[in-house]
Amino acid sequence: MLNFNQEWLVRKLACRVRELEEMELHLKRGDLTGMTRQEVDDFLRGQGAEAKITRDGYIQYKFLDKSTVMIRPNGEAIRTPAPKYGSDGRNINKGLRLDRDGSLLRTRDEFGNFIPDTHNTGEKLNE
């Protein structure tokens, strides 16, 4: 039987392992620049994503961890991380974006203002 400190450490390590697995998954998704829509569809579905078309004409690829890749009608990609929740149950990473490598983009300055040109990854499909 584990004591409180040991249980806490096991939970903390398990959480860190999940974070590293998510980062690895994002890195595997790779840069979509220059791919055709069909290549992107095949690639992301091959990574386990389910696709749907939104009413605004975006293609949304949602993964098991609930992270998403959205393809705009103009071919730009938007990546959002899997939701993370604070101890109070609030989503603590809502509105954040990922770059083409799966790293978090800083989307707001220290005053909470949006930073221009951080809404998408800079990836653009070959139309």
Side-chain angles (χ1 to χ4, degrees):
M1 181 145 175
L2 300 175
N3 67 35
F4 176 79
N5 288 333
Q6 291 168 326
E7 287 180 20
W8 178 84
L9 183 58
V10 167
R11 281 194 302 272
K12 188 78 170 167
L13 288 172
C15 188
R16 183 65 180 142
V17 166
R18 279 193 302 276
E19 287 174 7
L20 291 171
E21 287 171 346
E22 286 176 17
M23 287 172 66
E24 180 184 12
L25 203 65
H26 287 295
L27 290 173
K28 285 181 185 174
R29 293 194 184 137
D31 190 347
L32 306 176
T33 302
M35 291 179 150
T36 66
R37 287 184 183 269
Q38 186 60 56
E39 289 170 333
V40 167
D41 189 71
D42 293 343
F43 180 67
L44 295 177
R45 285 178 190 259
Q47 297 290 324
E50 291 192 16
K52 77 173 192 176
I53 298 176
T54 69
R55 103 181 133 216
D56 296 329
Y58 288 53
I59 303 172
Q60 178 186 45
Y61 293 92
K62 195 170 203 171
F63 297 87
L64 289 176
D65 67 355
K66 297 187 181 166
S67 62
T68 63
V69 175
M70 302 278 285
I71 306 298
R72 290 182 170 160
N74 69 359
E76 289 180 323
I78 302 167
R79 296 175 185 244
T80 56
K84 293 195 178 183
Y85 300 96
S87 58
D88 61 357
R90 287 184 320 124
N91 185 336
I92 59 174
N93 64 348
K94 187 174 179 80
L96 295 182
R97 299 287 185 263
L98 299 171
D99 67 13
R100 66 185 77 203
D101 298 321
S103 302
L104 281 175
L105 286 172
R106 188 166 169 239
T107 56
R108 292 181 183 259
D109 64 18
E110 61 273 11
F111 305 110
N113 301 313
F114 283 109
I115 298 172
D117 301 321
T118 59
H119 190 70
N120 62 28
T121 62
E123 296 167 281
K124 181 116 169 144
L125 306 188
N126 186 13
E127 301 279 38

